[in-house]
Amino acid sequence: MDVELPQPPPSLDFLDGLYQILVWRIRDYVAVPLRRPATTVRGIVRQGLRTARVFLFDETDFATSVAVDLPLLDSADEQIPHIRNVDMLRQLTGSRFADHRPVADMVVEGQTIPVYDAAVMANTPPPATLQTQVHTTLLGLTGGPRNPGDLTPSADLTFAGFLILSPTTVRYYLDLVGGQMTIGIDVPLVGQDGNIRGSGASFPDIKLQELFGTGTINRLERPGVRDDYCGIVYDMSGWM
């Protein structure tokens, strides 16, 4: 009889890495509103080993400041995709925290700031949107904080761009090394149930490694498709 051994707790290095990536994901929202018209990131700090605390305010109105504790792991000790954490921030700010009560207050430079806990939302993520699904895929294709700009699918490819073709499909452009050709990869945005694929869906960068490594990619060409930005288009709808 096989006995399932308990999984070891997440290592400190693993948790450190999750926090660093979350910082990289959040940084753009210092300048770009997280939620219109003007909710931006005031700061982000480490709040214990498994939690990041994100400070939000409306532009430079410090009186609107709130803090949100984002868990790095869910209740099963599985990594929470960072785009989900962004979704949770958007959901909280979109309702102006109407459905949540602060769990604590903290004082910064004499100002009292309410603290909200997003952990209650971690296991019930908000519905995926077309934008968050494309954003998640772009993060996989364009590298992380330790290798910004690098494309992960293959050493022979570099990321060249993308275009949302329709509510159901996005095309990612990849350059072959040496400038030989740009190819297009059509990736579905919706699942078989007709809903937007969740942010935890398989990244095409992982699938591309398999398809190019085995040569299967050649069977996915869409002959006759014309695109001003690439020479060949491949359809990954059956591989996602």
Side-chain angles (χ1 to χ4, degrees), residues 133-141 151-154 157 159 170 172 174 185-188 197 201-212 217 236 239-240:
Q133 177 56 32
V134 172
H135 187 208
T136 301
T137 302
L138 285 173
L139 294 177
L141 288 174
L151 180 75
T152 53
S154 167
L157 299 169
F159 180 76
V170 58
Y172 297 99
L174 309 174
I185 304 290
D186 286 355
V187 175
R197 293 162 53 81
S202 300
F203 287 158
D205 53 311
I206 299 173
K207 299 293 185 182
L208 284 173
Q209 293 180 22
E210 175 186 352
L211 295 175
F212 276 95
I217 190 70
M236 288 187 66
W239 288 81
M240 297 298 296

PDB file of all heavy atoms in Angstrom, residues 133-141 151-154 157 159 170 172 174 185-188 197 201-212 217 236 239-240:
ATOM      1  N   GLN A 133      -6.183  37.581 -19.271  1.00  0.00           N
ATOM      2  CA  GLN A 133      -5.662  36.371 -19.906  1.00  0.00           C
ATOM      3  C   GLN A 133      -4.513  36.712 -20.848  1.00  0.00           C
ATOM      4  O   GLN A 133      -3.470  36.047 -20.855  1.00  0.00           O
ATOM      5  CB  GLN A 133      -6.773  35.642 -20.659  1.00  0.00           C
ATOM      6  CG  GLN A 133      -6.304  34.400 -21.406  1.00  0.00           C
ATOM      7  CD  GLN A 133      -5.614  33.403 -20.497  1.00  0.00           C
ATOM      8  OE1 GLN A 133      -5.945  33.279 -19.336  1.00  0.00           O
ATOM      9  NE2 GLN A 133      -4.650  32.681 -21.027  1.00  0.00           N
ATOM     10  N   VAL A 134      -4.666  37.758 -21.655  1.00  0.00           N
ATOM     11  CA  VAL A 134      -3.595  38.174 -22.563  1.00  0.00           C
ATOM     12  C   VAL A 134      -2.383  38.636 -21.762  1.00  0.00           C
ATOM     13  O   VAL A 134      -1.237  38.302 -22.087  1.00  0.00           O
ATOM     14  CB  VAL A 134      -4.081  39.286 -23.507  1.00  0.00           C
ATOM     15  CG1 VAL A 134      -2.918  39.848 -24.324  1.00  0.00           C
ATOM     16  CG2 VAL A 134      -5.164  38.747 -24.444  1.00  0.00           C
ATOM     17  N   HIS A 135      -2.634  39.395 -20.699  1.00  0.00           N
ATOM     18  CA  HIS A 135      -1.531  39.897 -19.876  1.00  0.00           C
ATOM     19  C   HIS A 135      -0.739  38.748 -19.272  1.00  0.00           C
ATOM     20  O   HIS A 135       0.501  38.751 -19.269  1.00  0.00           O
ATOM     21  CB  HIS A 135      -2.102  40.792 -18.764  1.00  0.00           C
ATOM     22  CG  HIS A 135      -1.056  41.496 -17.966  1.00  0.00           C
ATOM     23  ND1 HIS A 135      -1.232  41.859 -16.662  1.00  0.00           N
ATOM     24  CD2 HIS A 135       0.191  41.901 -18.291  1.00  0.00           C
ATOM     25  CE1 HIS A 135      -0.149  42.456 -16.206  1.00  0.00           C
ATOM     26  NE2 HIS A 135       0.733  42.499 -17.189  1.00  0.00           N
ATOM     27  N   THR A 136      -1.445  37.723 -18.770  1.00  0.00           N
ATOM     28  CA  THR A 136      -0.777  36.573 -18.190  1.00  0.00           C
ATOM     29  C   THR A 136       0.131  35.894 -19.209  1.00  0.00           C
ATOM     30  O   THR A 136       1.269  35.531 -18.912  1.00  0.00           O
ATOM     31  CB  THR A 136      -1.815  35.552 -17.672  1.00  0.00           C
ATOM     32  OG1 THR A 136      -2.638  36.179 -16.694  1.00  0.00           O
ATOM     33  CG2 THR A 136      -1.130  34.350 -17.046  1.00  0.00           C
ATOM     34  N   THR A 137      -0.380  35.713 -20.420  1.00  0.00           N
ATOM     35  CA  THR A 137       0.415  35.072 -21.462  1.00  0.00           C
ATOM     36  C   THR A 137       1.630  35.917 -21.821  1.00  0.00           C
ATOM     37  O   THR A 137       2.732  35.394 -22.004  1.00  0.00           O
ATOM     38  CB  THR A 137      -0.444  34.827 -22.710  1.00  0.00           C
ATOM     39  OG1 THR A 137      -1.566  34.018 -22.353  1.00  0.00           O
ATOM     40  CG2 THR A 137       0.355  34.106 -23.783  1.00  0.00           C
ATOM     41  N   LEU A 138       1.450  37.227 -21.902  1.00  0.00           N
ATOM     42  CA  LEU A 138       2.571  38.110 -22.214  1.00  0.00           C
ATOM     43  C   LEU A 138       3.662  38.000 -21.162  1.00  0.00           C
ATOM     44  O   LEU A 138       4.860  38.031 -21.477  1.00  0.00           O
ATOM     45  CB  LEU A 138       2.093  39.561 -22.321  1.00  0.00           C
ATOM     46  CG  LEU A 138       1.320  39.917 -23.588  1.00  0.00           C
ATOM     47  CD1 LEU A 138       0.774  41.329 -23.489  1.00  0.00           C
ATOM     48  CD2 LEU A 138       2.209  39.783 -24.815  1.00  0.00           C
ATOM     49  N   LEU A 139       3.275  37.869 -19.902  1.00  0.00           N
ATOM     50  CA  LEU A 139       4.264  37.733 -18.844  1.00  0.00           C
ATOM     51  C   LEU A 139       5.083  36.460 -19.041  1.00  0.00           C
ATOM     52  O   LEU A 139       6.285  36.432 -18.798  1.00  0.00           O
ATOM     53  CB  LEU A 139       3.573  37.701 -17.479  1.00  0.00           C
ATOM     54  CG  LEU A 139       2.861  38.992 -17.061  1.00  0.00           C
ATOM     55  CD1 LEU A 139       2.153  38.805 -15.729  1.00  0.00           C
ATOM     56  CD2 LEU A 139       3.835  40.145 -16.993  1.00  0.00           C
ATOM     57  N   GLY A 140       4.409  35.394 -19.497  1.00  0.00           N
ATOM     58  CA  GLY A 140       5.135  34.156 -19.746  1.00  0.00           C
ATOM     59  C   GLY A 140       6.058  34.252 -20.942  1.00  0.00           C
ATOM     60  O   GLY A 140       7.142  33.673 -20.957  1.00  0.00           O
ATOM     61  N   LEU A 141       5.653  35.017 -21.952  1.00  0.00           N
ATOM     62  CA  LEU A 141       6.431  35.097 -23.190  1.00  0.00           C
ATOM     63  C   LEU A 141       7.570  36.109 -23.130  1.00  0.00           C
ATOM     64  O   LEU A 141       8.553  35.984 -23.851  1.00  0.00           O
ATOM     65  CB  LEU A 141       5.515  35.466 -24.362  1.00  0.00           C
ATOM     66  CG  LEU A 141       4.543  34.387 -24.839  1.00  0.00           C
ATOM     67  CD1 LEU A 141       3.623  34.957 -25.901  1.00  0.00           C
ATOM     68  CD2 LEU A 141       5.307  33.184 -25.392  1.00  0.00           C
ATOM     69  N   LEU A 151      12.716  35.752 -24.203  1.00  0.00           N
ATOM     70  CA  LEU A 151      11.592  34.878 -24.531  1.00  0.00           C
ATOM     71  C   LEU A 151      11.920  33.467 -24.071  1.00  0.00           C
ATOM     72  O   LEU A 151      13.006  32.966 -24.320  1.00  0.00           O
ATOM     73  CB  LEU A 151      11.325  34.891 -26.037  1.00  0.00           C
ATOM     74  CG  LEU A 151      10.182  34.009 -26.490  1.00  0.00           C
ATOM     75  CD1 LEU A 151       8.865  34.668 -26.115  1.00  0.00           C
ATOM     76  CD2 LEU A 151      10.227  33.797 -27.988  1.00  0.00           C
ATOM     77  N   THR A 152      11.007  32.834 -23.392  1.00  0.00           N
ATOM     78  CA  THR A 152      11.293  31.519 -22.826  1.00  0.00           C
ATOM     79  C   THR A 152      11.034  30.333 -23.730  1.00  0.00           C
ATOM     80  O   THR A 152      11.585  29.274 -23.491  1.00  0.00           O
ATOM     81  CB  THR A 152      10.488  31.326 -21.534  1.00  0.00           C
ATOM     82  OG1 THR A 152       9.108  31.577 -21.803  1.00  0.00           O
ATOM     83  CG2 THR A 152      10.950  32.283 -20.464  1.00  0.00           C
ATOM     84  N   PRO A 153      10.169  30.411 -24.776  1.00  0.00           N
ATOM     85  CA  PRO A 153       9.834  29.188 -25.500  1.00  0.00           C
ATOM     86  C   PRO A 153      11.025  28.463 -26.108  1.00  0.00           C
ATOM     87  O   PRO A 153      11.090  27.257 -26.083  1.00  0.00           O
ATOM     88  CB  PRO A 153       8.893  29.666 -26.606  1.00  0.00           C
ATOM     89  CG  PRO A 153       8.309  30.909 -26.094  1.00  0.00           C
ATOM     90  CD  PRO A 153       9.379  31.538 -25.259  1.00  0.00           C
ATOM     91  N   SER A 154      11.964  29.178 -26.687  1.00  0.00           N
ATOM     92  CA  SER A 154      13.057  28.528 -27.391  1.00  0.00           C
ATOM     93  C   SER A 154      14.193  29.512 -27.571  1.00  0.00           C
ATOM     94  O   SER A 154      13.972  30.717 -27.692  1.00  0.00           O
ATOM     95  CB  SER A 154      12.578  28.029 -28.765  1.00  0.00           C
ATOM     96  OG  SER A 154      13.679  27.675 -29.571  1.00  0.00           O
ATOM     97  N   LEU A 157      13.954  31.747 -30.749  1.00  0.00           N
ATOM     98  CA  LEU A 157      12.842  32.674 -30.935  1.00  0.00           C
ATOM     99  C   LEU A 157      12.977  33.877 -30.016  1.00  0.00           C
ATOM    100  O   LEU A 157      13.487  33.770 -28.905  1.00  0.00           O
ATOM    101  CB  LEU A 157      11.509  31.982 -30.627  1.00  0.00           C
ATOM    102  CG  LEU A 157      11.118  30.779 -31.483  1.00  0.00           C
ATOM    103  CD1 LEU A 157       9.934  30.068 -30.860  1.00  0.00           C
ATOM    104  CD2 LEU A 157      10.796  31.220 -32.893  1.00  0.00           C
ATOM    105  N   PHE A 159      10.459  37.325 -28.726  1.00  0.00           N
ATOM    106  CA  PHE A 159       9.121  37.912 -28.745  1.00  0.00           C
ATOM    107  C   PHE A 159       9.133  39.181 -29.582  1.00  0.00           C
ATOM    108  O   PHE A 159      10.005  40.040 -29.440  1.00  0.00           O
ATOM    109  CB  PHE A 159       8.685  38.229 -27.321  1.00  0.00           C
ATOM    110  CG  PHE A 159       7.315  38.835 -27.227  1.00  0.00           C
ATOM    111  CD1 PHE A 159       6.186  38.046 -27.378  1.00  0.00           C
ATOM    112  CD2 PHE A 159       7.159  40.187 -26.995  1.00  0.00           C
ATOM    113  CE1 PHE A 159       4.920  38.600 -27.291  1.00  0.00           C
ATOM    114  CE2 PHE A 159       5.897  40.754 -26.906  1.00  0.00           C
ATOM    115  CZ  PHE A 159       4.776  39.958 -27.056  1.00  0.00           C
ATOM    116  N   VAL A 170      -6.029  35.598 -29.735  1.00  0.00           N
ATOM    117  CA  VAL A 170      -4.947  36.582 -29.754  1.00  0.00           C
ATOM    118  C   VAL A 170      -3.792  35.975 -30.547  1.00  0.00           C
ATOM    119  O   VAL A 170      -3.551  34.774 -30.502  1.00  0.00           O
ATOM    120  CB  VAL A 170      -4.494  36.945 -28.320  1.00  0.00           C
ATOM    121  CG1 VAL A 170      -4.031  35.719 -27.550  1.00  0.00           C
ATOM    122  CG2 VAL A 170      -3.356  37.990 -28.355  1.00  0.00           C
ATOM    123  N   TYR A 172       0.263  36.070 -31.208  1.00  0.00           N
ATOM    124  CA  TYR A 172       1.568  36.493 -30.704  1.00  0.00           C
ATOM    125  C   TYR A 172       2.587  36.334 -31.828  1.00  0.00           C
ATOM    126  O   TYR A 172       2.592  35.319 -32.533  1.00  0.00           O
ATOM    127  CB  TYR A 172       1.984  35.664 -29.491  1.00  0.00           C
ATOM    128  CG  TYR A 172       1.047  35.836 -28.328  1.00  0.00           C
ATOM    129  CD1 TYR A 172       0.045  34.894 -28.070  1.00  0.00           C
ATOM    130  CD2 TYR A 172       1.129  36.951 -27.501  1.00  0.00           C
ATOM    131  CE1 TYR A 172      -0.834  35.059 -27.012  1.00  0.00           C
ATOM    132  CE2 TYR A 172       0.256  37.129 -26.444  1.00  0.00           C
ATOM    133  CZ  TYR A 172      -0.722  36.177 -26.204  1.00  0.00           C
ATOM    134  OH  TYR A 172      -1.604  36.351 -25.167  1.00  0.00           O
ATOM    135  N   LEU A 174       6.522  36.061 -33.074  1.00  0.00           N
ATOM    136  CA  LEU A 174       7.835  35.618 -32.620  1.00  0.00           C
ATOM    137  C   LEU A 174       8.815  35.693 -33.781  1.00  0.00           C
ATOM    138  O   LEU A 174       8.512  35.249 -34.890  1.00  0.00           O
ATOM    139  CB  LEU A 174       7.768  34.176 -32.096  1.00  0.00           C
ATOM    140  CG  LEU A 174       6.679  33.874 -31.056  1.00  0.00           C
ATOM    141  CD1 LEU A 174       6.642  32.379 -30.757  1.00  0.00           C
ATOM    142  CD2 LEU A 174       6.917  34.661 -29.787  1.00  0.00           C
ATOM    143  N   ILE A 185       1.545  33.071 -33.824  1.00  0.00           N
ATOM    144  CA  ILE A 185       0.976  31.962 -33.066  1.00  0.00           C
ATOM    145  C   ILE A 185      -0.406  32.380 -32.587  1.00  0.00           C
ATOM    146  O   ILE A 185      -0.541  33.301 -31.785  1.00  0.00           O
ATOM    147  CB  ILE A 185       1.851  31.601 -31.842  1.00  0.00           C
ATOM    148  CG1 ILE A 185       3.284  31.281 -32.277  1.00  0.00           C
ATOM    149  CG2 ILE A 185       1.246  30.450 -31.065  1.00  0.00           C
ATOM    150  CD1 ILE A 185       3.434  30.006 -33.030  1.00  0.00           C
ATOM    151  N   ASP A 186      -1.462  31.727 -33.087  1.00  0.00           N
ATOM    152  CA  ASP A 186      -2.824  32.037 -32.657  1.00  0.00           C
ATOM    153  C   ASP A 186      -3.170  31.226 -31.409  1.00  0.00           C
ATOM    154  O   ASP A 186      -3.121  29.987 -31.431  1.00  0.00           O
ATOM    155  CB  ASP A 186      -3.822  31.726 -33.774  1.00  0.00           C
ATOM    156  CG  ASP A 186      -3.773  32.758 -34.887  1.00  0.00           C
ATOM    157  OD1 ASP A 186      -3.028  33.750 -34.737  1.00  0.00           O
ATOM    158  OD2 ASP A 186      -4.475  32.575 -35.896  1.00  0.00           O
ATOM    159  N   VAL A 187      -3.523  31.936 -30.349  1.00  0.00           N
ATOM    160  CA  VAL A 187      -3.809  31.302 -29.060  1.00  0.00           C
ATOM    161  C   VAL A 187      -5.253  31.612 -28.668  1.00  0.00           C
ATOM    162  O   VAL A 187      -5.674  32.769 -28.715  1.00  0.00           O
ATOM    163  CB  VAL A 187      -2.840  31.813 -27.972  1.00  0.00           C
ATOM    164  CG1 VAL A 187      -3.208  31.252 -26.609  1.00  0.00           C
ATOM    165  CG2 VAL A 187      -1.402  31.447 -28.341  1.00  0.00           C
ATOM    166  N   PRO A 188      -6.031  30.601 -28.269  1.00  0.00           N
ATOM    167  CA  PRO A 188      -7.432  30.846 -27.886  1.00  0.00           C
ATOM    168  C   PRO A 188      -7.536  31.565 -26.546  1.00  0.00           C
ATOM    169  O   PRO A 188      -6.762  31.296 -25.624  1.00  0.00           O
ATOM    170  CB  PRO A 188      -8.017  29.435 -27.805  1.00  0.00           C
ATOM    171  CG  PRO A 188      -6.844  28.566 -27.465  1.00  0.00           C
ATOM    172  CD  PRO A 188      -5.661  29.179 -28.164  1.00  0.00           C
ATOM    173  N   ARG A 197     -10.586  31.875 -20.592  1.00  0.00           N
ATOM    174  CA  ARG A 197      -9.718  30.941 -19.890  1.00  0.00           C
ATOM    175  C   ARG A 197      -9.149  31.602 -18.643  1.00  0.00           C
ATOM    176  O   ARG A 197      -8.761  32.768 -18.663  1.00  0.00           O
ATOM    177  CB  ARG A 197      -8.579  30.495 -20.808  1.00  0.00           C
ATOM    178  CG  ARG A 197      -9.061  29.663 -21.974  1.00  0.00           C
ATOM    179  CD  ARG A 197      -8.034  29.607 -23.083  1.00  0.00           C
ATOM    180  NE  ARG A 197      -6.735  29.189 -22.599  1.00  0.00           N
ATOM    181  CZ  ARG A 197      -6.389  27.919 -22.384  1.00  0.00           C
ATOM    182  NH1 ARG A 197      -7.266  26.966 -22.616  1.00  0.00           N
ATOM    183  NH2 ARG A 197      -5.188  27.599 -21.963  1.00  0.00           N
ATOM    184  N   ALA A 201      -4.400  29.152 -16.634  1.00  0.00           N
ATOM    185  CA  ALA A 201      -4.336  28.275 -17.803  1.00  0.00           C
ATOM    186  C   ALA A 201      -2.905  28.106 -18.282  1.00  0.00           C
ATOM    187  O   ALA A 201      -2.042  28.927 -18.023  1.00  0.00           O
ATOM    188  CB  ALA A 201      -5.192  28.854 -18.935  1.00  0.00           C
ATOM    189  N   SER A 202      -2.654  27.010 -19.010  1.00  0.00           N
ATOM    190  CA  SER A 202      -1.301  26.713 -19.471  1.00  0.00           C
ATOM    191  C   SER A 202      -0.745  27.841 -20.326  1.00  0.00           C
ATOM    192  O   SER A 202      -1.417  28.352 -21.217  1.00  0.00           O
ATOM    193  CB  SER A 202      -1.302  25.423 -20.292  1.00  0.00           C
ATOM    194  OG  SER A 202      -1.750  24.337 -19.519  1.00  0.00           O
ATOM    195  N   PHE A 203       0.480  28.227 -20.050  1.00  0.00           N
ATOM    196  CA  PHE A 203       1.130  29.259 -20.836  1.00  0.00           C
ATOM    197  C   PHE A 203       1.558  28.673 -22.179  1.00  0.00           C
ATOM    198  O   PHE A 203       2.077  27.565 -22.248  1.00  0.00           O
ATOM    199  CB  PHE A 203       2.370  29.785 -20.113  1.00  0.00           C
ATOM    200  CG  PHE A 203       2.066  30.646 -18.938  1.00  0.00           C
ATOM    201  CD1 PHE A 203       3.014  30.811 -17.941  1.00  0.00           C
ATOM    202  CD2 PHE A 203       0.857  31.301 -18.825  1.00  0.00           C
ATOM    203  CE1 PHE A 203       2.747  31.621 -16.853  1.00  0.00           C
ATOM    204  CE2 PHE A 203       0.580  32.106 -17.741  1.00  0.00           C
ATOM    205  CZ  PHE A 203       1.532  32.272 -16.742  1.00  0.00           C
ATOM    206  N   PRO A 204       1.372  29.404 -23.278  1.00  0.00           N
ATOM    207  CA  PRO A 204       1.810  28.892 -24.569  1.00  0.00           C
ATOM    208  C   PRO A 204       3.319  28.739 -24.654  1.00  0.00           C
ATOM    209  O   PRO A 204       3.814  27.981 -25.477  1.00  0.00           O
ATOM    210  CB  PRO A 204       1.300  29.932 -25.571  1.00  0.00           C
ATOM    211  CG  PRO A 204       1.081  31.157 -24.780  1.00  0.00           C
ATOM    212  CD  PRO A 204       0.692  30.699 -23.409  1.00  0.00           C
ATOM    213  N   ASP A 205       4.093  29.454 -23.810  1.00  0.00           N
ATOM    214  CA  ASP A 205       5.547  29.308 -23.877  1.00  0.00           C
ATOM    215  C   ASP A 205       5.963  27.880 -23.545  1.00  0.00           C
ATOM    216  O   ASP A 205       6.895  27.332 -24.137  1.00  0.00           O
ATOM    217  CB  ASP A 205       6.258  30.305 -22.958  1.00  0.00           C
ATOM    218  CG  ASP A 205       5.761  30.266 -21.535  1.00  0.00           C
ATOM    219  OD1 ASP A 205       4.540  30.301 -21.345  1.00  0.00           O
ATOM    220  OD2 ASP A 205       6.588  30.196 -20.621  1.00  0.00           O
ATOM    221  N   ILE A 206       5.246  27.234 -22.612  1.00  0.00           N
ATOM    222  CA  ILE A 206       5.551  25.851 -22.264  1.00  0.00           C
ATOM    223  C   ILE A 206       5.165  24.925 -23.410  1.00  0.00           C
ATOM    224  O   ILE A 206       5.907  24.008 -23.776  1.00  0.00           O
ATOM    225  CB  ILE A 206       4.809  25.459 -20.977  1.00  0.00           C
ATOM    226  CG1 ILE A 206       5.270  26.352 -19.814  1.00  0.00           C
ATOM    227  CG2 ILE A 206       5.023  23.988 -20.647  1.00  0.00           C
ATOM    228  CD1 ILE A 206       4.479  26.152 -18.544  1.00  0.00           C
ATOM    229  N   LYS A 207       3.995  25.170 -24.009  1.00  0.00           N
ATOM    230  CA  LYS A 207       3.556  24.351 -25.134  1.00  0.00           C
ATOM    231  C   LYS A 207       4.491  24.516 -26.330  1.00  0.00           C
ATOM    232  O   LYS A 207       4.774  23.561 -27.057  1.00  0.00           O
ATOM    233  CB  LYS A 207       2.134  24.732 -25.537  1.00  0.00           C
ATOM    234  CG  LYS A 207       1.089  24.523 -24.452  1.00  0.00           C
ATOM    235  CD  LYS A 207       0.893  23.057 -24.129  1.00  0.00           C
ATOM    236  CE  LYS A 207      -0.228  22.868 -23.130  1.00  0.00           C
ATOM    237  NZ  LYS A 207      -0.412  21.449 -22.759  1.00  0.00           N
ATOM    238  N   LEU A 208       4.964  25.744 -26.550  1.00  0.00           N
ATOM    239  CA  LEU A 208       5.839  25.992 -27.695  1.00  0.00           C
ATOM    240  C   LEU A 208       7.133  25.198 -27.592  1.00  0.00           C
ATOM    241  O   LEU A 208       7.664  24.723 -28.606  1.00  0.00           O
ATOM    242  CB  LEU A 208       6.143  27.485 -27.809  1.00  0.00           C
ATOM    243  CG  LEU A 208       5.016  28.357 -28.368  1.00  0.00           C
ATOM    244  CD1 LEU A 208       5.379  29.826 -28.259  1.00  0.00           C
ATOM    245  CD2 LEU A 208       4.711  27.987 -29.807  1.00  0.00           C
ATOM    246  N   GLN A 209       7.660  25.053 -26.386  1.00  0.00           N
ATOM    247  CA  GLN A 209       8.869  24.247 -26.221  1.00  0.00           C
ATOM    248  C   GLN A 209       8.639  22.837 -26.736  1.00  0.00           C
ATOM    249  O   GLN A 209       9.483  22.261 -27.424  1.00  0.00           O
ATOM    250  CB  GLN A 209       9.270  24.212 -24.744  1.00  0.00           C
ATOM    251  CG  GLN A 209       9.725  25.550 -24.183  1.00  0.00           C
ATOM    252  CD  GLN A 209      10.104  25.444 -22.728  1.00  0.00           C
ATOM    253  OE1 GLN A 209      10.413  24.371 -22.227  1.00  0.00           O
ATOM    254  NE2 GLN A 209      10.091  26.561 -22.034  1.00  0.00           N
ATOM    255  N   GLU A 210       7.481  22.278 -26.395  1.00  0.00           N
ATOM    256  CA  GLU A 210       7.148  20.926 -26.832  1.00  0.00           C
ATOM    257  C   GLU A 210       6.949  20.870 -28.342  1.00  0.00           C
ATOM    258  O   GLU A 210       7.471  19.978 -29.020  1.00  0.00           O
ATOM    259  CB  GLU A 210       5.884  20.453 -26.109  1.00  0.00           C
ATOM    260  CG  GLU A 210       5.364  19.107 -26.578  1.00  0.00           C
ATOM    261  CD  GLU A 210       4.039  18.743 -25.934  1.00  0.00           C
ATOM    262  OE1 GLU A 210       3.604  19.462 -25.017  1.00  0.00           O
ATOM    263  OE2 GLU A 210       3.424  17.750 -26.366  1.00  0.00           O
ATOM    264  N   LEU A 211       6.191  21.829 -28.890  1.00  0.00           N
ATOM    265  CA  LEU A 211       5.850  21.799 -30.307  1.00  0.00           C
ATOM    266  C   LEU A 211       7.064  21.994 -31.193  1.00  0.00           C
ATOM    267  O   LEU A 211       7.225  21.316 -32.213  1.00  0.00           O
ATOM    268  CB  LEU A 211       4.798  22.871 -30.613  1.00  0.00           C
ATOM    269  CG  LEU A 211       3.426  22.660 -29.941  1.00  0.00           C
ATOM    270  CD1 LEU A 211       2.520  23.850 -30.210  1.00  0.00           C
ATOM    271  CD2 LEU A 211       2.779  21.378 -30.444  1.00  0.00           C
ATOM    272  N   PHE A 212       7.935  22.932 -30.831  1.00  0.00           N
ATOM    273  CA  PHE A 212       9.132  23.153 -31.633  1.00  0.00           C
ATOM    274  C   PHE A 212      10.148  22.032 -31.427  1.00  0.00           C
ATOM    275  O   PHE A 212      10.846  21.640 -32.360  1.00  0.00           O
ATOM    276  CB  PHE A 212       9.756  24.507 -31.288  1.00  0.00           C
ATOM    277  CG  PHE A 212       9.132  25.653 -32.021  1.00  0.00           C
ATOM    278  CD1 PHE A 212       8.115  26.390 -31.444  1.00  0.00           C
ATOM    279  CD2 PHE A 212       9.551  25.997 -33.304  1.00  0.00           C
ATOM    280  CE1 PHE A 212       7.527  27.445 -32.117  1.00  0.00           C
ATOM    281  CE2 PHE A 212       8.968  27.042 -33.983  1.00  0.00           C
ATOM    282  CZ  PHE A 212       7.946  27.779 -33.388  1.00  0.00           C
ATOM    283  N   ILE A 217       4.990  21.538 -34.533  1.00  0.00           N
ATOM    284  CA  ILE A 217       4.515  22.872 -34.907  1.00  0.00           C
ATOM    285  C   ILE A 217       4.207  22.958 -36.399  1.00  0.00           C
ATOM    286  O   ILE A 217       3.288  23.677 -36.823  1.00  0.00           O
ATOM    287  CB  ILE A 217       5.561  23.950 -34.514  1.00  0.00           C
ATOM    288  CG1 ILE A 217       4.999  25.362 -34.675  1.00  0.00           C
ATOM    289  CG2 ILE A 217       6.846  23.775 -35.294  1.00  0.00           C
ATOM    290  CD1 ILE A 217       3.953  25.725 -33.672  1.00  0.00           C
ATOM    291  N   MET A 236      -2.738  27.262 -32.339  1.00  0.00           N
ATOM    292  CA  MET A 236      -2.502  26.461 -31.132  1.00  0.00           C
ATOM    293  C   MET A 236      -3.791  26.109 -30.402  1.00  0.00           C
ATOM    294  O   MET A 236      -3.764  25.672 -29.261  1.00  0.00           O
ATOM    295  CB  MET A 236      -1.566  27.217 -30.181  1.00  0.00           C
ATOM    296  CG  MET A 236      -0.135  27.283 -30.665  1.00  0.00           C
ATOM    297  SD  MET A 236       0.990  27.992 -29.438  1.00  0.00           S
ATOM    298  CE  MET A 236       0.927  26.727 -28.158  1.00  0.00           C
ATOM    299  N   TRP A 239      -3.994  22.850 -28.663  1.00  0.00           N
ATOM    300  CA  TRP A 239      -2.892  22.518 -27.763  1.00  0.00           C
ATOM    301  C   TRP A 239      -2.920  23.307 -26.466  1.00  0.00           C
ATOM    302  O   TRP A 239      -1.955  23.304 -25.718  1.00  0.00           O
ATOM    303  CB  TRP A 239      -1.563  22.753 -28.474  1.00  0.00           C
ATOM    304  CG  TRP A 239      -1.307  21.721 -29.518  1.00  0.00           C
ATOM    305  CD1 TRP A 239      -1.807  21.686 -30.782  1.00  0.00           C
ATOM    306  CD2 TRP A 239      -0.522  20.548 -29.367  1.00  0.00           C
ATOM    307  NE1 TRP A 239      -1.380  20.569 -31.434  1.00  0.00           N
ATOM    308  CE2 TRP A 239      -0.575  19.841 -30.593  1.00  0.00           C
ATOM    309  CE3 TRP A 239       0.240  20.011 -28.326  1.00  0.00           C
ATOM    310  CZ2 TRP A 239       0.082  18.652 -30.804  1.00  0.00           C
ATOM    311  CZ3 TRP A 239       0.898  18.820 -28.532  1.00  0.00           C
ATOM    312  CH2 TRP A 239       0.819  18.144 -29.758  1.00  0.00           C
ATOM    313  N   MET A 240      -4.019  23.995 -26.205  1.00  0.00           N
ATOM    314  CA  MET A 240      -4.088  24.800 -24.989  1.00  0.00           C
ATOM    315  C   MET A 240      -5.090  24.177 -24.021  1.00  0.00           C
ATOM    316  O   MET A 240      -6.146  24.625 -23.843  1.00  0.00           O
ATOM    317  CB  MET A 240      -4.467  26.241 -25.343  1.00  0.00           C
ATOM    318  CG  MET A 240      -3.432  26.917 -26.225  1.00  0.00           C
ATOM    319  SD  MET A 240      -1.827  27.066 -25.425  1.00  0.00           S
ATOM    320  CE  MET A 240      -2.232  28.143 -24.066  1.00  0.00           C
TER     321      MET A 240
END
